[in-house]
Amino acid sequence: MNIILNSFDQIGLAEMSAVKLMNRVDTKFVTTMPKLVRLLQMAQDHYFVQEIDGKLSCAYTTLYYDTPAFDMYITHHNGCLGRQKVRVRRYVDSGLTFLEVKNKNNHRRTRKKRIAVNDFNIEGDEERQFLETLCWYGVDTLKPALRNWFNRITLVNKGKTERVTIDTDLRFHNMATGVENALQQAVIIELKRDGNVPSPLLSMLRDLRIHPHGFSKYCIGTALTNNHLKQNRLKEKINYVYRLIEQET
């Protein structure tokens, strides 16, 4: 896959600042590594690939917070359109770490606010003030819930109106149960657009029969590592991913 990525035109972090899309429409897809290779071959003339310090696939780790009752997980599980996630994400290769509050409204638009932080601790004065302003839940109730690790490829269309993230090698560690699990053969693709701007990738995904399929790394990771929580509405999504992996491997 490195050979294919090296054939893309590259874009650096400075140029990426124009494509943040903090208020956006997200569409997720789930596929496998063999189909990802085919998709990248189709996309190479239409997209830039993000480069950070010579790397085209970068390591990420995220710590999600939730309440003791797992209110954020339950709200998402129950299909509520108005929902929120609180997380600290570290961009391992660049050394940047951000505390983020991510909201999805009932129009399915995603809004994300974030501040730079030094570590995964949210108890500092600046972190508390940020959360007290934006978080729907009491700051003192927030506890570490799930940590994940993955590698991410980021593409940007040549018009710079769309960003595509491609996550691979997903691994999870539940902070409450200590259980670990992984979906290392799965690929999560997310199209992030400022409204319904044209997307070259959408037609390529259709040609490869890769269809939209919701996937929350927090909720799926939690369901895979904590069998004490309700997860009946997630079982179909999890089984779908396992079937895809089995068919391709």
Side-chain angles (χ1 to χ4, degrees), residues 7 13 22-23 57 74-75 80 106 122 130 137 144 148 220 245:
S7 69
L13 282 175
M22 304 298 276
N23 177 13
S57 177
I74 296 298
T75 298
C80 300
N106 56 4
I122 63 171
F130 175 77
Y137 307 91
N148 68 26
I220 296 296
I245 294 171

Side-chain angles (χ1 to χ4, degrees), residues 220-233:
I220 296 296
T222 297
L224 288 171
T225 56
N226 189 342
N227 58 16
H228 302 294
L229 294 175
K230 63 189 297 189
Q231 50 187 264
N232 52 298
R233 294 185 65 156

Side-chain angles (χ1 to χ4, degrees), residues 111-170:
R111 296 176 182 267
K112 185 171 73 174
K113 298 286 187 180
R114 69 183 190 180
I115 58 171
V117 295
N118 293 323
D119 53 36
F120 292 94
N121 191 333
I122 63 171
E123 296 179 359
D125 291 341
E126 185 178 2
E127 291 85 350
R128 288 185 64 88
Q129 183 178 359
F130 175 77
L131 291 171
E132 286 170 355
T133 302
L134 297 172
C135 186
W136 299 346
Y137 307 91
V139 176
D140 290 328
T141 69
L142 298 178
K143 306 293 182 185
L146 183 83
R147 188 159 181 180
N148 68 26
W149 296 261
F150 57 94
N151 295 321
R152 170 167 288 183
I153 299 164
T154 301
L155 305 181
V156 181
N157 68 336
K158 293 295 178 77
K160 298 184 180 179
T161 58
E162 172 192 52
R163 186 153 47 94
V164 182
T165 59
I166 302 168
D167 296 341
T168 63
D169 193 23
L170 281 163

Side-chain angles (χ1 to χ4, degrees), residues 12-237:
L13 282 175
E15 295 174 89
M16 282 291 292
S17 62
V19 203
K20 285 182 178 177
L21 305 179
M22 304 298 276
N23 177 13
R24 67 197 187 219
V25 175
D26 297 342
T27 310
K28 291 184 179 179
F29 303 79
V30 182
T31 188
T32 57
M33 293 299 293
K35 280 197 174 179
L36 172 60
V37 170
R38 294 164 62 189
L39 180 66
L40 291 173
Q41 290 170 335
M42 297 165 68
Q44 58 189 328
D45 293 332
H46 304 276
Y47 286 82
F48 298 103
V49 62
Q50 179 179 274
E51 175 270 331
I52 300 176
D53 294 332
K55 295 186 177 181
L56 305 180
S57 177
C58 298
Y60 285 53
T61 181
T62 309
L63 177 61
Y64 289 89
Y65 283 80
D66 210 331
T67 67
F70 295 92
D71 291 291
M72 293 183 227
Y73 170 85
I74 296 298
T75 298
H76 193 140
H77 173 278
N78 290 346
C80 300
L81 291 179
R83 55 185 185 249
Q84 184 174 81
K85 301 289 191 316
V86 174
R87 68 193 189 190
V88 178
R89 170 163 289 175
R90 174 165 291 167
Y91 300 75
V92 176
D93 296 294
S94 65
L96 298 174
T97 306
F98 294 94
L99 169 60
E100 302 179 342
V101 175
K102 184 178 177 182
N103 294 345
K104 179 163 283 190
N105 65 22
N106 56 4
H107 299 293
R108 300 185 183 276
R109 290 194 71 91
T110 299
R111 296 176 182 267
K112 185 171 73 174
K113 298 286 187 180
R114 69 183 190 180
I115 58 171
V117 295
N118 293 323
D119 53 36
F120 292 94
N121 191 333
I122 63 171
E123 296 179 359
D125 291 341
E126 185 178 2
E127 291 85 350
R128 288 185 64 88
Q129 183 178 359
F130 175 77
L131 291 171
E132 286 170 355
T133 302
L134 297 172
C135 186
W136 299 346
Y137 307 91
V139 176
D140 290 328
T141 69
L142 298 178
K143 306 293 182 185
L146 183 83
R147 188 159 181 180
N148 68 26
W149 296 261
F150 57 94
N151 295 321
R152 170 167 288 183
I153 299 164
T154 301
L155 305 181
V156 181
N157 68 336
K158 293 295 178 77
K160 298 184 180 179
T161 58
E162 172 192 52
R163 186 153 47 94
V164 182
T165 59
I166 302 168
D167 296 341
T168 63
D169 193 23
L170 281 163
R171 292 161 287 143
F172 308 100
H173 173 85
N174 195 291
M175 306 300 287
T177 66
V179 175
E180 297 186 348
N181 210 327
L183 290 172
Q184 292 176 290
Q185 298 302 315
V187 176
I188 313 303
I189 300 171
E190 187 169 5
L191 272 62
K192 305 175 184 186
R193 295 178 287 162
D194 187 6
N196 292 315
V197 297
S199 167
L201 205 73
L202 276 177
S203 61
M204 302 175 199
L205 289 163
R206 284 193 292 266
D207 290 343
L208 292 172
R209 297 183 181 179
I210 302 172
H211 306 295
H213 197 274
F215 189 102
S216 162
K217 285 191 284 293
Y218 172 56
C219 291
I220 296 296
T222 297
L224 288 171
T225 56
N226 189 342
N227 58 16
H228 302 294
L229 294 175
K230 63 189 297 189
Q231 50 187 264
N232 52 298
R233 294 185 65 156
L234 295 172
K235 286 181 179 178
E236 182 180 349
K237 292 181 183 295

